[in-house]
């Protein structure tokens, strides 16, 4: 779909007068298209790769509960290897204010709260920060439309989003979304000194419930360390009947 087609089909976009308004409207349309799925779960393979190309592999599961009045709740559980088995991260994303996150460490048999000052830290040695694992609610950023860009024959919107939270490890993020489906295809993350830190790319999108798109593979590359982390998603399922009790701090200890 061309940008002109998108504008003609979207009166909201047509009314956006400034780059800030247009960037926000693109984000709101992305969010609108990914609302109403209820809950989902998937199995993951996490591949950690150092600058020499050496790899280590971990097996995980995650499940997510969509919430109408606030951000989503997510539980990530490590199944392999043995030294991290049973480790679990619970995230409550909030549309305003800092997110709540807790990490269960089975070796210590204790739940550790992740403070908002540490949200920019690496998650379990990966190139994903704790804040990268929260749901990306529109209220968490301010926006600015930058340009249209065609990559491999596919038209994209390019927008900048700046974190509202002063404890974010990022000064800004530049996001590429395909104009046909509003799916994120690439995100450049800039550190607090405004140097390019990481790039996240999304691959092999699959559509579920005839509406919702999920990437089968994500790759985060750290440009400053040469390390990277790949997440391969399989066995996606929706409408699992999850309830809030499945995402309590007690559920962390029982997640294994």
């Amino acid at each position: 779909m061309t940008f002109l087609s998108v504008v003609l089909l979207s009166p909201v976009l047509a009314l956006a007068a400034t780059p800030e308004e247009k960037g926000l409207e693109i984000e709101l349309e992305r969010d609108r298209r990914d609302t109403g799925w209820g809950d989902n779960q998937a199995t993951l393979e996490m591949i950690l790769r150092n600058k020499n190309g050496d790899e280590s592999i971990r097996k995980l599961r995650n499940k997510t509960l969509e919430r109408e009045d606030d951000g989503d709740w997510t539980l990530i559980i490590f199944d392999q290897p043995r030294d991290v088995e049973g480790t679990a991260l619970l995230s409550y994303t909030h549309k305003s204010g800092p997110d709540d996150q807790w990490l269960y460490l089975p070796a210590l048999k204790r739940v550790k709260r992740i403070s908002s000052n540490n949200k920019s830290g690496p998650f379990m040695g990966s190139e994903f920060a704790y804040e990268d694992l929260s749901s990306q609610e529109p209220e968490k950023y301010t926006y600015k439309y930058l340009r249209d860009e065609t990559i491999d024959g596919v038209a994209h919107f390019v927008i900048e989003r700046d974190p509202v939270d002063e404890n974010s490890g990022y000064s800004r993020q530049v996001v590429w979304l395909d104009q046909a489906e509003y799916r994120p295809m690439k995100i450049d993350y800039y550190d607090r000194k405004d140097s390019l830190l990481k790039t996240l790319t999304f691959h092999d999108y699959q559509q579920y419930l005839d509406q919702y798109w999920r990437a089968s593979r994500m790759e985060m590359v750290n440009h400053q360390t040469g390390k990277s982390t790949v997440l391969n998603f399989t066995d996606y399922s929706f409408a699992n009947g999850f309830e809030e009790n499945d995402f309590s701090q007690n559920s962390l200890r029982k997640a294994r």
Side-chain angles (χ1 to χ4, degrees):
M1 182 180 292
T2 65
F3 174 67
L4 178 60
S5 300
V6 172
V7 170
L8 292 173
L9 292 172
S10 174
V12 177
L13 266 182
L15 293 173
T18 69
E20 289 76 13
E21 291 172 336
K22 187 172 179 179
L24 175 60
E25 297 305 340
I26 290 170
E27 167 59 18
L28 292 177
E29 177 63 13
R30 180 209 64 77
D31 185 65
R32 186 192 67 79
R33 294 184 181 211
D34 195 47
T35 296
W37 43 266
D39 67 55
N40 66 46
Q41 65 178 350
T43 56
L44 291 81
E45 178 186 61
M46 173 185 280
I47 303 174
L48 307 177
R49 191 174 293 137
N50 66 21
K51 63 181 180 181
N52 298 318
D54 301 324
E55 296 182 350
S56 59
I57 298 176
R58 296 170 174 177
K59 303 291 186 181
L60 305 79
R61 290 168 282 145
N62 82 330
K63 54 185 183 182
T64 304
L65 179 67
E66 183 182 34
R67 304 186 76 241
E68 292 185 3
D69 299 327
D70 204 354
D72 302 337
W73 291 0
T74 301
L75 181 61
I76 300 174
I77 307 138
F78 284 78
D79 292 325
Q80 295 179 17
R82 182 179 294 271
D83 62 340
V84 296
E85 181 182 2
T87 301
L89 175 72
L90 175 65
S91 300
Y92 289 180
T93 302
H94 301 300
K95 293 184 176 181
S96 62
D99 300 336
D100 292 310
Q101 291 182 305
W102 299 269
L103 183 68
Y104 177 63
L105 301 169
L108 302 177
K109 296 182 179 178
R110 62 183 287 259
V111 175
K112 174 185 176 184
R113 186 182 183 90
I114 307 299
S115 75
S116 58
N117 291 331
N118 292 329
K119 63 187 298 181
S120 61
F123 171 60
M124 296 294 289
S126 76
E127 299 312 308
F128 287 85
Y130 285 98
E131 65 180 299
D132 300 335
L133 303 174
S134 299
S135 63
Q136 302 299 297
E137 305 297 329
E139 293 86 350
K140 297 175 80 69
Y141 303 93
T142 59
Y143 299 89
K144 181 169 67 177
Y145 166 79
L146 298 180
R147 61 185 181 274
D148 291 341
E149 186 173 322
T150 299
I151 303 174
D152 296 330
V154 178
H156 292 73
F157 297 117
V158 185
I159 64 172
E160 179 179 305
R161 61 185 189 188
D162 300 343
V164 173
D165 188 344
E166 62 182 13
N167 290 313
S168 173
Y170 309 118
S171 60
R172 61 189 175 103
Q173 302 172 13
V174 178
V175 185
W176 283 254
L177 304 105
D178 71 298
Q179 295 185 6
E181 302 291 348
Y182 286 69
R183 299 169 299 191
M185 306 303 288
K186 185 173 80 168
I187 304 175
D188 280 344
Y189 297 85
Y190 290 81
D191 65 17
R192 300 301 300 180
K193 296 180 179 177
D194 205 32
S195 296
L196 179 60
L197 175 61
K198 302 186 296 189
T199 296
L200 176 63
T201 52
F202 302 76
H203 307 269
D204 304 327
Y205 270 101
Q206 302 292 323
Q207 191 175 35
Y208 298 89
L209 305 180
D210 296 324
Q211 180 175 352
Y212 306 109
W213 294 94
R214 295 292 181 271
S216 299
R217 179 167 65 91
M218 299 181 189
E219 182 168 7
M220 183 76 87
V221 175
N222 189 316
H223 301 288
Q224 299 183 5
T225 66
K227 298 179 180 179
S228 64
T229 298
V230 175
L231 293 176
N232 292 315
F233 294 78
T234 56
D235 304 324
Y236 257 114
S237 65
F238 291 75
N240 300 283
F242 295 150
E243 299 178 350
E244 291 189 357
N245 287 339
D246 297 314
F247 296 83
S248 67
Q249 290 188 50
N250 285 334
S251 69
L252 278 170
R253 296 183 175 87
K254 302 174 183 176
R256 182 181 296 194

